[in-house]
Amino acid sequence: MISVIIPTYNEAAVIQETLRRAAETLRGAGEDFEIVVVDDASADGTAERVESLAGEIPARVLRRPGRLGLATAVLDGGAQARGDVWAVMDADLQHPPETLAPLARAIREGADLAIGSRYVKGGGTSDWTWLRKMISRTATHMAATVLPLKLASVGDPMSGLFMIRKSALEDARLNPLGYKILLEIIAKAHYRKLVEVPYVFQEREQGASKLGARQYVEYLRHLARLAAGTGQLRSWIRYGLVALAGAVIDIALFVLLVKKAGWRPAPALLLAIEAALLNNFFWSEAFTFRSAELSAFHPGMWARLARYEGICIAGAALNCLVTGLWLVLGGGILAAAMAGVLAGGALNLLLNVPVIWRTWSGGR
Ligand code: GDD
Ligand code: MN
C-alpha cells in the first residue's frame, strides 16, 4: 500500500482538489493507498476540509500544534503511515498529483526511490522568473558541490515530490532540518535503484509560498551538516590540500622559469599550468578520490586525465588571461602568477567541482 504524505500549512483553498486528483490518479493506476495530511494548525480550516472528504477518499489528518517545519511534517506523517511505500507531495498543486502514477509505476518496476524531477528530460518549471530559476539552480549546484557523489548525481535532489519503499528507510537516522527532507533521504537511505520521473513544477495559483529567508539559511546549515556527516568534508580537505599544492607548483615554476631561466612568460605559464594540472590529477587519483571501492591508478586513468584536462581548460584560460593582463599592466611576475591562479582556481571551485567529482565516479 502507498501512504501519501501531504504536509499542509494554510492550504484550504486547494487541499480538496489535491486529494481528489491524487485519489483518482492512484485508483486509476490500480494502487491501494491512504493519504495522511500533516497539518500544522492551519488557521484557514485546511484540516476540516480534509476530514469532510473522509467518506469519499481514504484520507486522515495528523494535527500538529503549530508550524513545526516541512521536514518534520514528512517524518511525523511517515510514522503514522501504514503503507510499505511512502509518497511525499506538496498540497498546493505545484506538484501535479497525476505524477503519482508514473512514480508508482517506477516503484512497481523495482525502484526503491522514485523522485519527481524538474531537471530531467520532460521536466521543468512552468513560468518561473529567471531569478527564481537561478536561485533553484544555484541551490542545486551548491548541493552537488558540497555533497558526496551519491547526491551530486541526482538531477533534482531538492524535490519535494517522491516515493520511497519504507524498507529503504530502516535504520536510516534522518535528521529533519529545514525544508529538504529528500536530501537526507538520498544521503542516508539504503536504496539500490533510484529513478527520476519528470514533472513540470506548476505555478502556485492559491495561497502563498512558505519559503523565505529563514528556509534559505536553514538550507545552508543543512548542507554543511550533511557534508560533515557523510565524510565528504574529508574529501574536501584533501581536495583543498591538493589544489594548494598545485597553486604553489604553478606559481613557483612560472616565477623560476621567467626569472631564473629567462623564459618568455607565455610558454613559462603554459608549462607551469600543465605541471600544476598533472600534479592535481595524480594526487586526485592516488589520494583524494581513492577509497575502498576505487584503488589508485585504476583502469581508465588516461581517459580520466583527458577529461580532467578538458574540464580545467576554462580555468587555465582564465589564469592565462589574468596573468597576462597583470603583466601588461606593469605588475610583477609573482603577483601576476598569484592573481592568475586565484582567478582560475575560483572558477574551478565555483563551476567545476561536481564534474570533477563525477570524473572519479565511473565517469557519469
Ligand atoms: N505541515 C507543514 N508545516 N507543512 C508545511 C510547512 C510547515 O511548516 N511549510 C510548508 N508546508 C507545506 C505547504 O503547505 C505545501 O503543501 C508544502 O509544504 C510546500 O510548501 P511551499 O511553501 O508551497 O513550498 P515551495 O513551493 O516554495 O517549495 C517547494 O520547493 C520545491 C521545489 O523547489 C518545496 O515544498 C518542495 O516540496 C518543492 O519540490
Ligand atoms: Mn509550493
Side-chain angles (χ1 to χ4, degrees), residues 1-2 14 44 57 68 86 129 132 141 152 224 238 265 333 336:
M1 177 170 76
I2 299 176
V14 286
D44 66 352
I57 290 168
L68 299 175
W86 293 4
T129 62
R132 180 135 195 228
H141 181 77
R238 293 179 169 195
I333 291 282

Side-chain angles (χ1 to χ4, degrees), residues 6-11 37-42 62 64 66-74 88-95 116 118-119 125 128 132 136 156 158-161 179-180 199 201-202 204 208-212 215:
I6 305 184
T8 55
Y9 186 66
N10 292 338
E11 304 287 3
V37 173
V38 185
D39 185 63
D40 280 4
S42 298
L62 171 63
R64 302 199 305 171
R67 190 168 179 201
L68 299 175
L70 186 50
T72 58
V74 171
V88 178
M89 182 175 94
D90 288 357
D92 57 4
L93 294 175
Q94 292 192 283
H95 296 155
R118 294 163 291 175
Y119 303 130
T125 48
W128 277 14
R132 180 135 195 228
S136 173
D156 195 358
M158 244 76 73
S159 181
L161 172 60
Y179 237 52
K180 301 300 179 185
Y199 84 97
F201 194 83
Q202 304 297 310
R204 191 185 245 281
S209 169
K210 279 88 197 173
L211 191 63
Q215 279 72 29

Side-chain angles (χ1 to χ4, degrees), residues 209-254:
S209 169
K210 279 88 197 173
L211 191 63
R214 184 166 151 207
Q215 279 72 29
Y216 288 118
V217 174
E218 274 184 348
Y219 175 65
L220 296 182
R221 282 181 46 211
H222 192 183
L223 285 189
R225 210 158 73 180
L226 275 174
T230 53
Q232 181 71 353
L233 204 56
R234 205 190 54 182
S235 306
W236 259 96
I237 291 170
R238 293 179 169 195
Y239 183 80
L241 287 174
V242 171
L244 203 65
V248 170
I249 288 175
D250 178 312
I251 294 167
L253 196 59
F254 178 61

